[in-house]
Amino acid sequence: MKKPLLTLTILLIGFSISSNSFCQTEQGALDATEAYFTAKMCDDYETLLNLTLPDLIEQAGGRESMRATLSKIHNNQRSKGIILQDYKIKQEIKQAKTKLETHVLIPIVTVSKVPGGTVTSESHLIAVGLEGNSKWHIVETSSLNEYNIHKVIANWDNTIVLPYKKAPVFKEDK
């Protein structure tokens, strides 16, 4: 009688530790996502650079080149009257652990002010946890698919399937 109870107790403790680890990982990814959107809304390029995968910064020619690119993108959007107003993180989060990284797929909804109305978009971000999930980086998936994701996230193992893209919804101002 003691052995089954002991086994059940060990299993429950293991599940609790595993569940707690999952929650901590998820929270780290969510915190990085919050920081990412706050930085985007405030044109905080330093935070955006810190949340960008080091390989992407290197591919862009270094931090200063990437900073210039981020600034150019934001200025281009602003000149067209496109301003990120709000974002919401949805709850259907998925995560996978590779040998070196943790990948967390985070569904989001963004609302941007555009000339004549607003555009609501449903998409996903990938939070990439490095160094035992002590460092997080954010990757937008808008231009990624199963064929090119490895160019951006080298250790992506296809455990998580990238969802289909949804068309943005325009709502005209009244």
Side-chain angles (χ1 to χ4, degrees):
M1 186 69 148
K2 287 184 179 179
K3 229 174 190 170
L5 184 56
L6 179 62
T7 303
L8 179 60
T9 303
I10 290 171
L11 285 173
L12 287 174
I13 290 171
F15 176 75
S16 175
I17 291 169
S18 167
S19 177
N20 190 31
S21 174
F22 182 88
C23 290
Q24 287 175 340
T25 298
E26 188 175 291
Q27 191 57 54
L30 293 174
D31 290 347
T33 301
E34 295 272 347
Y36 176 79
F37 277 109
T38 299
K40 278 187 80 152
M41 293 169 79
C42 298
D43 295 338
D44 178 356
Y45 303 124
E46 192 61 30
T47 298
L48 290 173
L49 284 167
N50 291 338
L51 290 168
T52 301
L53 282 169
D55 289 350
L56 294 178
I57 292 173
E58 188 178 310
Q59 290 172 19
R63 283 183 77 85
E64 288 311 309
S65 180
M66 180 63 101
R67 182 187 317 276
T69 300
L70 290 171
S71 178
K72 203 177 287 186
I73 290 168
H74 283 254
N75 290 338
N76 186 32
Q77 288 180 332
R78 288 249 160 73
S79 71
K80 293 178 180 178
I82 302 169
I83 300 170
L84 177 64
Q85 286 187 317
D86 197 15
Y87 69 94
K88 177 182 166 191
I89 299 171
K90 296 172 73 179
Q91 294 304 309
E92 303 86 33
I93 295 169
K94 297 177 185 173
Q95 70 172 269
K97 182 99 171 111
T98 69
K99 290 179 184 175
L100 302 173
E101 301 173 346
T102 301
H103 301 145
V104 182
L105 185 70
I106 303 172
I108 56 164
V109 176
T110 59
V111 178
S112 296
K113 177 70 179 121
V114 298
T118 58
V119 171
T120 302
S121 300
E122 289 188 45
S123 62
H124 293 79
L125 297 177
I126 299 171
V128 179
L130 302 172
E131 298 175 21
N133 297 334
S134 65
K135 285 190 166 216
W136 287 94
H137 301 281
I138 301 297
V139 176
E140 292 195 27
T141 64
S142 54
S143 62
L144 297 179
N145 58 44
E146 62 188 89
Y147 303 109
N148 67 4
I149 192 166
H150 295 93
K151 293 178 183 176
V152 177
I153 305 173
N155 295 315
W156 185 262
D157 66 0
N158 295 316
T159 301
I160 301 173
V161 176
L162 291 177
Y164 289 106
K165 313 278 189 268
K166 292 185 178 181
V169 177
F170 175 75
K171 183 177 178 186
E172 190 173 6
D173 286 340
K174 293 183 181 184

